[in-house]
Amino acid sequence: MLFETVATGGCRSYLIGCEETCAAALIDPELSQVDRYAVLAARDGLRIKYLVDTHTHADHFSATQQLARQLNVPVVMHGSSPAPFVDLRLQSGELLVVGKLRIQAMHTPGHTRDSMCLTVEDRVFTGDTLLIGGTGRTDLPSGDAGALYESLFDGVLRLDPSTKVFPAHEYKGRAHTTIGQELAENPRLQKRDRGAFIEMMQNLNLTMPTHITEALRTNMTGGKTVAQMLAEAAAIVPFMSLAELKACIESGKCDFTVLDVRERDAFEEGHVQGARHLPRGQLELRVNQELTDPTRRILVYCEFGRVSTLATATLRQMGFRGAVALDGGMKAWREAGYTLVAGKEG
Ligand SMILES: [Fe+2]
């Protein structure tokens, strides 16, 4: 078996491949690493056949959907996953055939209702059901401490004690552990009584993961993250530097329209000399009155450089092939000490 671990902060993804057939499965891929997985698979001579999420993640952005589009392979989750983009829904005990490898699903609800562990050869991928020296939390949507107790003590912990444990999170850099080691040393597993275990899990008082709303929204629905929206806009837009814009204005040879897409009060407080005002919210509806020459260069700016990127992408989609976004925004412009003009347009 060929085996690669990819760590993204505390998140772990695993690439497992069959040496004989070059078939591979990728477990719990993370959105910021999409290019890395493809490169790793290519380096190892593997072709990814399945993209598996052990559960609906609340703390990172799953890359399964994007990779499925790129690689044209199915997304695999447990049968109870709410995500509409899942192609293959496994029930407990079912196998994924990856060349000569057999990856077996074990439904382990508790951290989430759709959690599953995956066993293959000498190891188990435990998702957030069992962590090294810990367990997944049960206080997030669809979590259930009683279900986790059963999934652990009647499920994953009954695997052979020598089975290697590879969790979806590891914050201390340990590669793996074993079922036997966890049974002996994991502090969460020392409460063998169901009631005591549930009470312990319900009193952990953990802070909410960052980006939980966005992670659940995108992982459950297949929708896009804000970063994806911005990256897609930025990919079809050219940029102009602050210094270049300043030089153009100072030389008096500004042969393009400068468009401020912030709200009116921000514009009137201070804008770039000669700028026209067209708030982002009204862009599509007022563009025919305000921007009559589709061939003209239009430099778009906002406060931070993000809204202007989206607005420039919209303008280019509408046919304004000369639309350019400012690399940075008025915040950076002010901080650089560049000149602003207060007051209304005109
Ligand atoms: Fe999780």
Side-chain angles (χ1 to χ4, degrees), residues 111-326:
H111 172 60
T112 61
R113 196 180 299 128
D114 65 355
S115 288
M116 63 178 178
C117 295
L118 300 160
T119 53
V120 55
E121 296 191 347
D122 62 346
R123 58 200 64 193
V124 59
F125 300 94
T126 53
D128 286 357
T129 299
L130 177 62
L131 307 177
I132 299 176
T135 67
R137 60 198 293 173
T138 54
D139 58 336
L140 299 179
S142 90
D144 181 330
L148 182 64
Y149 177 87
E150 274 121 38
S151 293
L152 287 167
F153 290 101
D154 299 337
V156 68
L157 295 171
R158 293 212 174 159
L159 293 170
D160 189 283
S162 66
T163 310
K164 292 176 184 153
V165 173
F166 291 87
H169 287 288
E170 166 53 27
Y171 300 96
K172 294 183 180 168
R174 297 165 289 193
H176 64 86
T177 177
T178 64
I179 292 290
Q181 222 174 315
E182 291 309 310
L183 273 168
E185 296 168 13
N186 187 325
R188 295 255 180 103
L189 305 181
Q190 305 316 309
K191 301 261 190 237
R192 303 280 165 100
D193 171 69
R194 189 175 189 276
F197 178 85
I198 292 171
E199 198 189 327
M200 170 192 69
M201 290 306 297
Q202 286 174 346
N203 289 298
L204 291 175
N205 294 322
L206 302 166
T207 52
M208 280 293 128
T210 40
H211 308 302
I212 177 173
T213 313
E214 189 180 19
L216 286 175
R217 172 176 60 76
T218 56
N219 294 337
M220 288 172 80
T221 66
K224 288 175 182 170
T225 64
V226 175
Q228 274 177 303
M229 299 288 290
L230 287 169
E232 286 178 12
I236 58 165
V237 158
F239 289 87
M240 182 185 289
S241 70
L242 296 171
E244 174 82 9
L245 176 60
K246 175 175 174 276
C248 286
I249 292 167
E250 284 175 355
S251 70
K253 293 182 192 138
C254 211
D255 59 351
F256 47 85
T257 300
V258 180
L259 196 67
D260 185 321
V261 294
R262 298 175 299 163
E263 295 304 314
R264 176 161 301 281
D265 49 355
F267 177 86
E268 289 179 357
E269 213 168 282
H271 53 263
V272 169
Q273 187 193 326
R276 296 184 57 180
H277 181 231
L278 176 51
R280 169 70 183 96
Q282 297 173 31
L283 185 67
E284 290 91 335
L285 299 183
R286 281 180 46 197
V287 85
N288 294 331
Q289 292 80 50
E290 304 289 337
L291 305 169
T292 49
D293 180 359
T295 64
R296 189 169 167 78
R297 266 180 105 199
I298 304 164
L299 185 272
V300 185
Y301 74 82
C302 64
E303 184 64 15
F304 299 105
R306 293 194 291 261
V307 169
S308 56
T309 303
L310 295 168
T312 307
T314 301
L315 285 174
R316 292 182 77 87
Q317 282 166 345
M318 295 181 87
F320 295 91
R321 299 291 170 186
V324 183
L326 188 64

Side-chain angles (χ1 to χ4, degrees), residues 1-3 15-19 101 120-123 125:
M1 178 169 47
L2 290 165
F3 187 69
L15 178 67
I16 47 179
C18 167
E19 272 175 286
L101 299 175
V120 55
E121 296 191 347
D122 62 346
R123 58 200 64 193
F125 300 94

